[in-house]
């Protein structure tokens, strides 16, 4: 069964664009064009994830978020989609129960990557996801387990998410900023050394597991890729 995603967005063009993006990624999309319409639809059936705009006629995105978390006690993933970019707004929304924040204008691949990450974190996969393998690595998405040469790696949540991303797209080069956005739920990257530290820890763990060649290579001046 397809996972169902509700789009709450009053701008018809953006709503239909999101609908296309979601459907082509294999999701079932349920469009709502105001907070009030969304609230009515949600009384009948809860989706697996909600994409929520903030500036909506009638019930605002903030009000709907509050209603979902505090009145309906729904704990499914809610991703905010908005042009409001002030850090303070983002922090407030995350504190009030939003799972992630996508800034408009957005790239289709970013929307899908964040939805996939949020659904994974919410831990209710509808289908057993196929294992991903690359050379001597095998990752089992349902078990959140990675084997290197048949030996299970002991990974932190962020190390796992990084490897999961790399294994989904071998040879794709990611900048540190991009990796930070996708794995650490956005936020300000700045001079932060987080990604380097995590990649270096993964490399050590792969080496300890007996892999002699370098799997995550540094692409000078850009970032990293799986090779
Ligand atoms: Ca709007």
């Amino acid at each position: 069964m397809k996972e169902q995603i509700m789009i709450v967005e009053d701008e018809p063009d953006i709503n239909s664009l999101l609908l296309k993006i979601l459907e082509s990624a294999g999701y079932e999309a349920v469009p709502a064009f105001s907070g009030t319409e969304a609230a009515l639809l949600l009384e009948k059936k809860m989706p697996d994830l909600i994409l929520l705009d903030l500036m909506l006629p009638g019930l605002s995105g903030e009000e709907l978020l509050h209603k979902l978390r505090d009145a309906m006690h729904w704990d499914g993933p809610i991703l905010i989609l908005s042009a409001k970019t002030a850090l303070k707004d983002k922090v407030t929304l995350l504190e009030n129960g939003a799972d992630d924040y996508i800034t408009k204008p957005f790239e289709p691949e970013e929307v899908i990557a964040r939805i996939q990450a949020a659904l994974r974190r919410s831990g209710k996969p509808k289908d057993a996801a196929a294992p991903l393998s690359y050379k001597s690595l095998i990752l089992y998405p349902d078990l959140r387990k990675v084997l290197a040469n048949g030996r299970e790696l002991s990974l932190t949540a962020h190390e796992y998410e990084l490897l999961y991303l790399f294994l989904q797209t071998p040879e794709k080069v990611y900048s540190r900023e991009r990796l930070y956005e996708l794995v650490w739920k956005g936020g300000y990257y700045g001079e932060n050394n987080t990604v380097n530290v995590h990649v270096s820890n993964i490399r050590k763990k792969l080496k300890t597991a007996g892999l002699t060649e370098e799997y995550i290579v540094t692409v000078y001046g850009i970032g990293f890729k799986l090779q």
Side-chain angles (χ1 to χ4, degrees):
M1 211 166 96
K2 287 182 178 181
E3 281 164 307
Q4 208 179 59
I5 297 176
M6 179 179 280
I7 305 164
V8 191
E9 166 65 66
D10 60 315
E11 188 65 52
D13 289 349
I14 301 177
N15 197 310
S16 71
L17 173 66
L18 286 166
L19 193 109
K20 277 188 206 128
I21 294 171
L22 295 180
E23 287 184 344
S24 62
Y27 296 108
E28 184 189 339
V30 182
F33 294 87
S34 70
T36 321
E37 184 188 0
L40 284 172
L41 290 168
L42 292 169
E43 279 170 20
K44 293 186 198 118
K45 188 176 188 295
M46 297 309 297
D48 295 293
L49 180 146
I50 298 175
L51 276 181
L52 182 60
D53 181 26
L54 293 179
M55 313 279 261
L56 293 165
L59 199 63
S60 74
E62 285 93 339
E63 286 165 338
L64 189 60
L65 176 65
H66 175 72
K67 183 180 160 78
L68 279 159
R69 293 301 192 222
D70 301 331
M72 298 169 77
H73 301 290
W74 189 62
D75 65 356
I78 301 175
L79 272 56
I80 303 294
L81 197 68
S82 177
K84 280 190 187 175
T85 51
L87 183 62
K88 186 169 69 66
D89 294 332
K90 290 188 192 180
V91 171
T92 307
L93 287 160
L94 295 172
E95 282 171 357
N96 288 332
D99 290 275
D100 203 350
Y101 194 107
I102 303 169
T103 306
K104 290 178 188 171
F106 49 79
E107 295 292 334
E109 57 162 12
E110 181 185 9
V111 175
I112 296 303
R114 286 180 187 257
I115 286 173
Q116 286 172 343
L119 287 171
R120 275 203 306 278
R121 286 193 300 266
S122 81
K124 289 176 211 156
K126 287 271 171 75
D127 301 305
L132 299 171
S133 65
Y134 187 79
K135 296 183 188 171
S136 302
L137 286 180
I138 305 178
L139 181 148
Y140 298 90
D142 292 336
L143 306 169
R144 290 183 72 87
K145 189 161 105 174
V146 185
L147 302 186
N149 266 344
R151 291 173 63 181
E152 185 174 353
L153 298 176
S154 165
L155 300 167
T156 66
H158 286 134
E159 289 165 4
Y160 171 84
E161 293 292 341
L162 279 169
L163 268 179
Y164 189 60
L165 192 66
F166 282 128
L167 278 155
Q168 283 174 308
T169 50
E171 307 288 337
K172 180 174 159 75
V173 180
Y174 288 96
S175 68
R176 289 171 181 82
E177 290 81 357
R178 189 84 185 121
L179 289 171
Y180 191 79
E181 277 172 19
L182 292 171
V183 172
W184 276 264
K185 294 182 172 192
Y188 177 64
Y189 179 73
E191 295 300 310
N192 198 318
N193 199 30
T194 312
V195 174
N196 289 346
V197 171
H198 281 74
V199 166
S200 138
N201 287 340
I202 295 171
R203 284 171 172 162
K204 277 182 215 150
K205 289 178 181 181
L206 295 178
K207 209 170 192 177
T208 308
L211 304 190
T212 45
E213 63 176 304
E214 199 71 275
Y215 274 67
I216 304 176
V217 298
T218 304
V219 181
Y220 184 73
I222 306 176
F224 302 103
K225 70 169 180 172
L226 185 68
Q227 175 183 283

